[in-house]
Amino acid sequence: MRRIISRSLLGAMLVLSATCGVSLAQSDPQRSVTQIAGDLYRFQNQFHFSVFLVTREGIIATDPINAAAARWLKEELGRRFPGKAVNYLIYSHSHADHVAGGEVFSDTATVVAHERAQARIVSEQVPTAVPQVTFANRKTITLGGKTVELIHFGPSHSDNLIVMRFPDERTLFAVDIVAPKRLPYRDLPDANVDGWIDTLKAVEALEFGILAPGHGTLGSKADVAEHRIYLESLRDRVRAQMQAGKSLEEIKQAVTMEEYKNWGSYNDWRALNVEGMYRYLTTR
């Protein structure tokens, strides 16, 4: 039976509503650490999530999120896993809202990212540690007998986003390309929609049971398929309206995506999703 340990009732309520697993710490109502499976854990900072894997030789961490969050996590790791340093820090992609603050772990960690992420972090002056190890398509990190597979399927939410598969824990960490039963973010910024759909198809072919997204609750492979179908439907409907000569404002009124009205952020982002898809298709 799962048991949630919290430093405050409010913190426990947040963990129950936003995550699942075994809470290891909660010094702030918007920060927590929960167990996903085995030695794999999920770190929450408000609406952002990352994961870390504890091994006998140290820790493999992922997106630091921001400097304050990273400092909190580093202190918590030291308290919960004394003597274990963060040996690797892996970035999911170059966007600052996920990878800022990497310098907090740079005293012990080797920073790993896709090669394009390194270039963008440098050129855009993202406030984080610059990756020291990069790769193009696939890379496996091994530490203390445990592994994580890093995979880049091509352009999607950005041109440098990777997914991370933890085979022993049957878990996939996927940031910003899928959130269970929640619409994609706003107007699909920086996205290659066709590549995004292809990436989701490739993710569906991977072996995993638990989906750990960068936002929202834990899910499964079925959530990946649902998200892909949403993007395909949105693309096809917007394209059909464009081919009929409709204006953007007319398309925003016509493409309601009504069957997804119960998904998170539907009221706030549905019209923005249409705008983003219109912009994308206009540039094809």
Side-chain angles (χ1 to χ4, degrees), residues 34-260:
T34 58
Q35 185 181 32
I36 298 176
D39 295 312
L40 182 65
Y41 298 86
R42 197 177 194 214
F43 167 48
Q44 177 190 9
N45 183 76
Q46 297 181 319
F47 302 109
H48 290 69
F49 293 85
S50 64
V51 301
F52 63 88
L53 182 65
V54 180
T55 81
R56 64 174 181 266
E57 293 180 7
I59 297 170
I60 301 173
T62 63
D63 294 351
I65 302 175
N66 61 54
R71 286 192 293 269
W72 185 92
L73 179 60
K74 186 174 186 178
E75 180 180 347
E76 199 60 37
L77 293 176
R79 187 173 72 85
R80 293 291 176 174
F81 308 103
K84 292 186 185 291
V86 173
N87 296 63
Y88 289 98
L89 179 64
I90 307 169
Y91 296 159
S92 62
H93 62 311
S94 62
H95 291 173
D97 65 313
H98 289 275
V99 302
E103 70 280 357
V104 171
F105 297 105
S106 62
D107 56 336
T108 61
T110 298
V111 182
V112 184
H114 188 267
E115 59 190 14
R116 293 196 191 99
Q118 181 193 55
R120 288 192 176 274
I121 286 168
V122 171
S123 65
E124 297 172 8
Q125 298 183 326
V126 177
T128 194
V130 176
Q132 300 149 292
V133 175
T134 64
F135 65 99
N137 299 313
R138 290 178 179 253
K139 185 174 181 62
T140 299
I141 300 292
T142 301
L143 181 69
K146 296 181 179 292
T147 63
V148 53
E149 299 169 358
L150 316 180
I151 311 170
H152 175 68
F153 287 117
S156 57
H157 169 72
S158 75
D159 67 357
N160 60 78
L161 186 139
I162 65 171
V163 299
M164 308 180 203
R165 191 175 82 94
F166 297 84
D168 291 344
E169 295 74 23
R170 300 192 68 249
T171 298
L172 187 83
F173 179 46
V175 175
D176 285 350
I177 56 171
V178 55
K181 291 180 171 55
R182 193 201 77 173
L183 265 61
Y185 182 67
R186 294 181 63 83
D187 64 342
L188 318 179
D190 205 18
N192 179 313
V193 176
D194 292 311
W196 189 342
I197 291 169
D198 289 343
T199 292
L200 291 175
K201 289 179 182 177
V203 166
E204 290 175 65
L206 295 176
E207 178 62 35
F208 69 95
I210 301 170
L211 171 69
H215 301 280
T217 61
L218 295 177
S220 68
K221 191 176 292 189
D223 293 297
V224 179
E226 283 189 350
H227 211 79
R228 171 182 54 79
I229 291 168
Y230 171 84
L231 284 171
E232 290 173 334
S233 298
L234 178 66
R235 179 189 60 185
D236 294 346
R237 294 175 197 185
V238 172
R239 178 183 287 142
Q241 293 289 318
M242 292 172 66
Q243 290 172 343
K246 300 294 182 65
S247 69
L248 173 57
E249 290 305 313
E250 290 173 323
I251 295 172
K252 285 164 64 175
Q253 293 297 317
V255 180
T256 63
M257 306 302 290
E258 179 74 12
E259 66 268 42
Y260 297 94

